[in-house]
Amino acid sequence: MNVTRTGEDPRRWWGLVVIALAQLMVVLDATIVNIALPSAQQDLGMSDANRQWVITAYTLAFGGLLLLGGRIADLVGRKRTFMIGLVGFAAASALGGAATGSGMLFAARALQGVFAAVLAPSALSLLTTTFTDPKERGKAFGIYGALAGSGSAIGFIVGGLLTEYLNWRWCLYVNVPIAVIAFFGALVLLHDRPGHAGARLDVPGVLLGCGGLVAIVYGFSEAQPRGWSDPLVMTLLFGGVVLLAIFVWWQSRAPMPLLPLHIVKDRNRAGCFLTMGLAVIGMFGLFLFMTYYLQVVLAYSPVRTGLAFLPMTAAIIVGSTQISARLMNRVAPRMLMVPGMILAASGMVILTQMTVDSSYTTEILPALLLMGLGMGLTFMPVFSTATAGVAPQDSGVTSATVNTSQQVGGSIGTALLNTIATTSSTAYITAHLTNPAQKALVVKEGVVHGYTVAIWWAAGIMLLAGLIAGLMVTAKPPKQGAPAPAPVPESVA
């Protein structure tokens, strides 16, 4: 077996296509079902109280098991884990598409989350170890960052098209051909170093870390319908924090820790994790409110709503592949991340001015373009910097930590900003509903007022992300011609 740098493999760019396909499938699956949910609810006879489990079952399993999935990739080999994840995700998607009742759909969505937790970190760690030359790394992470940032918006577009022209089941079935193509592509194009046969899984770490993450993600998802003062919500959030605190204590003593603490103690990496989590809080808030605003307030169809996000998706791709990827080797990462968050926050501030009859072209579109450019500028250097210089045996769990910050950020963003919006809407309607004849208009104005208040908060959170990136991410631009730190050359499998 010839030992060469995987980065010199002439097929590595086709390998990137395979990794990108898998990543896109995982990211868009978090939102593709949102637009299909009303149809699925009616078809399967779900109650309003239970319908949230179509979303929650996926995010709970995905967010809670990422650290375990990342460590499994390190132990048994990234390529093998990647392929297992693809097969499992395709099977779970087919099961969900064929669901005959709500319980079967919930179980399939949870299974999708389990295999996504295996797939996402192995995809990012394969990318990290495949592209080590700074110039190539910039291009590869530009594409990956574009998909990570735009995948949710693409999910709305694809979900709208499939729901309107086929039916909601195709929002799940569509994953099967994608996974099959990615599987055979991985078989031929991707290379990997063998897993660590002598290593053992940190079982107490798995129980503590995954248990804490599941409790926190579940707590935030339940805060939306139940309220923050609900005993179950408070118990879950407090219990999750306690479990994670014990997890950190155990990781400093475990012989083979699930998450080696030197990964999160690194200043640049910690700054990237925090920046990502905060940025996603703001981004998920935007998707949530704009979807309802366009469909409920402006009466857009599902397809038109999806297409309304298309310019933002294009802006994310331009920001990531044409700006960040080109500048990454010339400027420090924070010189991209800080302006990116300022641009995204500026887009949010424009959206705070929307009313019940705002024009999409003149008032919504400019904000979405600024948001997209900001996200594109930010995500690519976050992924690249967070995974740079990680030892091969830790690349999976490092990639999982980046993905965990995304998932937890998304859960917090959805629950926190929705609570702010609902509270503000209720207060506005109570204060302004003096004439019963104008109730419909006041209610609509109250809903939009709640959205704008929550978007102000999201803009502030984006600026906080920019501040953290500016203060904590002190990495220098990579030296031209020098490979990114990678302790061990990869073996061609």
Side-chain angles (χ1 to χ4, degrees), residues 52-392:
Q52 63 154 333
W53 279 102
V54 176
I55 310 299
T56 306
Y58 181 77
T59 55
L60 257 184
F62 190 11
L65 299 176
L66 270 164
L67 283 179
L68 175 60
R71 187 44 101 194
I72 288 172
D74 291 330
L75 295 179
V76 306
R78 292 178 289 274
K79 177 178 174 179
R80 185 183 302 170
T81 308
F82 181 79
M83 294 172 72
I84 291 169
L86 285 169
V87 171
F89 198 87
S93 298
L95 181 69
T100 54
S102 56
M104 185 173 171
L105 181 58
F106 300 156
R109 289 288 287 166
L111 268 178
Q112 277 187 307
V114 170
F115 286 106
V118 171
L119 191 55
S122 57
L124 182 53
S125 57
L126 278 166
L127 185 70
T128 301
T129 52
T130 297
F131 294 93
T132 55
D133 177 81
K135 192 172 181 182
E136 290 193 343
R137 188 178 174 86
K139 290 178 184 175
F141 274 89
I143 294 167
Y144 187 90
L147 290 172
S150 62
S152 297
I154 294 170
F156 285 121
I157 299 166
V158 176
L161 290 168
L162 291 173
T163 303
E164 195 153 318
Y165 294 113
L166 292 171
N167 64 47
W168 67 269
R169 295 179 185 276
W170 280 96
C171 290
L172 293 157
Y173 285 143
V174 71
N175 293 321
V176 177
I178 297 173
V180 168
I181 293 168
F183 179 87
F184 286 108
L187 195 63
V188 175
L189 298 167
L190 296 181
H191 305 299
D192 195 12
R193 67 201 315 278
H196 299 267
R200 289 177 298 171
L201 195 61
D202 173 19
V203 176
V206 169
L207 295 175
L208 290 166
C210 295
L213 288 170
V214 166
I216 286 175
V217 173
Y218 186 29
F220 278 112
S221 69
E222 285 296 308
Q224 191 174 333
R226 291 173 177 268
W228 293 96
S229 58
D230 183 83
L232 175 65
V233 172
M234 295 178 73
T235 302
L236 285 167
L237 293 177
F238 179 74
V241 170
V242 170
L243 284 173
L244 289 182
I246 300 171
F247 170 75
V248 171
W249 170 82
W250 170 250
Q251 294 307 280
S252 65
R253 289 158 176 77
M256 292 183 180
L258 178 68
L259 175 62
L261 292 184
H262 64 82
I263 290 172
V264 290
K265 283 181 179 177
D266 179 88
R267 177 174 179 157
N268 290 301
R269 220 165 273 135
C272 287
F273 296 152
L274 283 171
T275 301
M276 173 61 79
L278 290 168
V280 171
I281 288 175
M283 188 177 78
F284 265 61
L286 173 86
F287 287 145
L288 177 71
F289 300 132
M290 291 312 298
T291 302
Y292 277 96
Y293 176 76
L294 293 170
Q295 288 198 57
V296 177
V297 179
L298 298 187
Y300 280 23
S301 69
V303 170
R304 193 179 177 192
T305 300
L307 292 175
F309 284 106
L310 194 57
M312 187 177 81
T313 304
I316 290 172
I317 293 169
V318 169
S320 191
T321 62
Q322 301 304 310
I323 302 175
S324 271
R326 292 175 186 273
L327 294 177
M328 185 68 186
N329 299 321
R330 297 182 176 87
V331 301
R334 64 178 169 182
M335 298 303 290
L336 295 168
M337 293 158 69
V338 174
M341 286 292 90
I342 292 172
L343 272 177
S346 302
M348 289 282 194
V349 170
I350 292 173
L351 284 179
T352 62
Q353 307 307 305
M354 67 187 185
T355 63
V356 293
D357 54 3
S358 290
S359 162
Y360 174 81
T361 308
T362 58
E363 298 172 69
I364 307 300
L365 180 59
L368 294 180
L369 290 172
L370 283 174
M371 276 285 299
L373 279 174
M375 287 295 179
L377 280 172
T378 305
F379 277 10
M380 180 262 167
V382 164
F383 283 120
S384 182
T385 307
T387 56
V390 178

